[in-house]
């Protein structure tokens, strides 16, 4: 039976701070370089119809994040520990899927930050990646790393939103067309849905906020209010950025410009505001790469912690810095020697879309098991039903995507 939490002003302030940090970590992880590439690519291909995928992404985000955050915090356990309690060994499978997806995404995150520095200062993308990796390692391993990470991510979020506001202010945005096609698309592309949902909701992103809030000390049914505050704030921030970037891309496409296949996101800013806009893109790309590197590294390495006791948790924390450094070094080395994985970001986003229904299904099963959640807890029926609807929809969309890749059903 779970012990009741005693609220004090100091504890309330600490948990609210943790919830805000978790919100920004999740939101910024969701809109990294992969999201920039995916959104620009599909907006160029589908035009206003991609707004439907953005709308689906926001709806799925609400259901997934509220479910996963709540289940993790009420149980007081990380997702992989919960999965092992649902079925022995399942947590290791989930950890492998999430960590591998996080690693591949981190190659793009580090590379994106390096390319951003290349645009801003003219240094090589490879050397820029080394600088970005060094900054990320420092932020994540210093004393009070969680607070440093929270502040860094929040500053990067302000930069990203400010840049997008400026770009939209200098463009003619077809708001009416975007809204009409978002609710009534003339073409539904399942690959774009699976990719954008996987790239901004699936994989490590699903668990980044919940694991951050748990590490901040929130656990048990008494912490549900912090779950709602953090998850809804993060969803709101990520949704605003998703819509803003889509509208910027749509404005460029409807003006008759063709996005560069090799770097579609950069061409949006260059068409919008010339070389000045291109420099803004460099700053946006650096901010996106850095914030997503922090989110991916923090969450992926948290999946190595299977501690179910305080003593085991201390053992993990002792070696966590080594895991973080190793994770970032491997990601950076792959980018440095292989190059920019722009296409990989799109493909890995789709793969994360396939992982999402599996991960969500595991936690939904756990949500109704008293040994995991506690005797007095009852998971809200609306979250259960909408959660299973998302599982079914994403499984169906993934199946349709596979058929489409093989030219079946088109």
């Amino acid at each position: 039976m779970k012990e009741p939490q005693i609220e004090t002003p100091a504890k309330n302030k600490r948990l609210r701070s943790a919830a805000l940090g978790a919100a920004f970590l999740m939101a910024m992880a969701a809109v990294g370089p992969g999201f920039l590439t995916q959104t620009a690519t599909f907006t160029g291909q589908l035009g206003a119809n991609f707004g439907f995928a953005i709308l689906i992404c926001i709806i799925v985000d609400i259901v997934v994040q509220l479910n996963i955050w709540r289940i993790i915090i009420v149980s007081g356990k990380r997702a992989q520990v919960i999965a092992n309690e649902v079925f022995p060994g399942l947590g290791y499978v989930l950890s492998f899927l999430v960590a591998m997806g996080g690693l591949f995404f981190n190659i793009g995150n580090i590379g994106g930050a390096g390319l951003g520095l290349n645009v801003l200062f003219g240094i090589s993308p490879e050397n820029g990646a080394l600088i970005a990796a060094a900054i990320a390692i420092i932020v994540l391993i210093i004393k009070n790393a969680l607070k440093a990470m929270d502040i860094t991510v929040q500053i990067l979020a302000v930069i990203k939103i400010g840049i997008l506001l400026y770009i939209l202010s200098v463009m003619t945005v077809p708001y009416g067309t975007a809204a009409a096609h978002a609710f009534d698309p003339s073409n539904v592309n399942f690959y774009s849905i699976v990719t954008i949902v996987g790239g901004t909701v699936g994989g490590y992103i699903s668990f980044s906020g919940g694991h951050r809030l748990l590490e901040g000390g929130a656990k048990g049914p008494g912490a549900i209010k912090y779950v709602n505050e953090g998850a809804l704030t993060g969803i709101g921030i990520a949704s605003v950025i998703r819509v803003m970037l889509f509208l910027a891309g749509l404005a460029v496409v409807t003006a008759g410009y063709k996005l560069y296949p090799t770097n579609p996101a950069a061409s949006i800013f260059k068409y919008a505001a010339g070389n000045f806009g291109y420099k803004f893109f460099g700053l946006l790309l650096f901010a996106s790469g850095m914030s997503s590197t922090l989110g991916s590294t923090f969450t992926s390495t948290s999946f190595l912690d299977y501690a179910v006791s305080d003593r085991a948790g201390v053992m993990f924390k002792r070696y966590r810095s080594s895991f973080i450094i190793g994770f970032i070094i491997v990601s950076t080395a792959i980018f440095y020697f292989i190059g920019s994985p722009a296409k990989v970001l799109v493909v890995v986003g789709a793969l994360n879309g396939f992982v999402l229904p599996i991960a969500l299904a595991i936690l939904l099963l756990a949500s109704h098991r008293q040994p995991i959640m506690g005797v007095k807890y009852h998971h809200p029926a609306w979250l259960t039903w909408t959660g299973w609807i998302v599982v079914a929809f994403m499984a169906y969309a993934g199946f349709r995507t596979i058929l489409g890749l093989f030219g079946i059903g088109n």
Side-chain angles (χ1 to χ4, degrees):
M1 184 173 178
K2 298 188 183 297
E3 297 180 1
Q5 290 195 341
I6 301 174
E7 288 286 337
T8 64
K11 184 176 182 180
N12 183 59
K13 182 179 179 181
R14 175 170 57 82
L15 291 180
R16 284 187 183 278
S17 176
L20 186 63
F24 274 90
L25 183 68
M26 179 270 284
M28 293 303 99
V31 288
F35 170 74
L36 297 179
T37 302
Q38 294 157 6
T39 300
T41 298
F42 288 121
T43 302
Q45 295 173 359
L46 304 174
N49 287 314
F50 185 58
F52 179 71
I54 296 291
L55 178 62
I56 293 295
C57 182
I58 293 171
I59 294 171
V60 169
D61 200 17
I62 294 170
V63 174
V64 170
Q65 299 293 354
L66 285 176
N67 265 299
I68 290 180
W69 284 47
R70 178 183 281 252
I71 294 166
I72 288 173
I73 297 305
V74 171
S75 69
K77 301 165 185 173
R78 288 181 173 81
Q80 67 273 25
V81 176
I82 296 173
N84 268 344
E85 293 185 9
V86 170
F87 188 85
L90 198 56
Y92 301 110
V93 175
L94 181 62
S95 292
F96 175 79
L97 293 173
V98 171
M100 286 304 296
L103 177 65
F104 281 109
F105 252 112
N106 217 39
I107 298 167
N109 295 335
I110 288 286
L115 288 167
L117 292 176
N118 168 255
V119 171
L120 287 170
F121 305 111
I123 60 177
S124 72
E126 292 78 12
N127 288 335
L130 293 177
I131 295 171
I135 295 172
I137 288 173
I138 291 170
V139 169
L140 288 168
I141 69 172
I142 62 173
K143 188 177 180 180
N144 297 322
L146 284 179
K147 185 175 182 180
M149 179 177 69
D150 290 347
I151 293 172
T152 303
V153 170
Q154 289 167 25
I155 291 171
L156 294 171
V158 171
I159 292 171
K160 290 163 81 169
I161 293 173
I163 291 171
L164 288 170
L165 283 173
Y166 168 75
I167 292 298
L168 288 175
S169 72
V170 299
M171 302 174 72
T172 303
V173 182
Y175 294 104
T177 301
H181 284 77
F183 292 96
D184 186 22
S186 59
N187 173 34
V188 176
N189 184 289
F190 283 98
Y191 181 59
S192 70
I193 294 173
V194 170
T195 300
I196 200 67
V197 170
T200 67
V201 182
Y204 75 91
I205 299 165
S206 305
F207 306 100
S208 57
H211 279 198
R212 167 64 187 92
L213 185 56
L214 182 67
E215 194 149 327
K219 62 172 62 176
I224 288 176
K225 64 180 180 180
Y226 302 111
V227 168
N228 294 335
E229 288 177 14
L232 292 174
T233 299
I235 291 165
I237 295 168
S239 298
V240 166
I241 295 176
R242 289 183 184 114
V243 171
M244 290 171 70
L245 184 62
F246 163 65
L247 291 174
L250 183 61
V252 169
V253 170
T254 54
Y257 295 108
K258 295 291 184 183
L259 304 185
Y260 304 138
T262 54
N263 199 345
S267 53
I268 291 175
F269 292 82
K270 199 161 189 177
Y271 285 136
N275 287 330
F276 185 64
Y278 187 59
K279 291 293 184 182
F280 260 179
F281 167 73
L283 183 58
L284 178 68
L285 190 57
F286 174 72
S288 298
M290 285 303 307
S291 59
S292 292
T293 295
L294 296 173
S296 175
T297 303
F298 168 82
T299 310
S300 297
T301 54
S302 76
F303 269 84
L304 300 175
D305 184 3
Y306 286 85
V308 291
S309 67
D310 291 338
R311 183 177 179 182
V314 170
M315 287 293 291
F316 171 76
K317 287 180 173 63
R318 182 181 301 172
Y319 296 103
R320 186 167 192 173
S321 293
S322 298
F323 293 141
I324 288 171
I325 293 170
F327 189 82
I328 293 176
I329 286 176
V330 170
S331 305
T332 307
I334 293 174
F335 172 79
Y336 194 94
F337 293 108
I338 295 178
S340 178
K343 290 184 178 179
V344 172
L345 286 172
V346 178
V347 174
V348 174
L351 293 177
N352 274 345
F354 298 134
V355 173
L356 178 59
I358 298 172
L360 182 56
I362 292 170
L363 267 69
L364 286 172
L365 290 173
S367 70
H368 295 279
R369 296 196 179 183
Q370 288 185 352
I372 298 174
M373 304 299 296
V375 176
K376 294 185 177 181
Y377 176 75
H378 298 284
H379 200 60
W382 76 271
L383 280 177
T384 299
W385 284 109
T386 55
W388 284 114
I389 289 170
V390 167
V391 169
F393 175 79
M394 289 304 299
Y396 171 74
F399 177 71
R400 286 290 302 268
T401 295
I402 293 173
L403 292 181
L405 292 176
F406 286 97
I408 302 173
N410 288 334

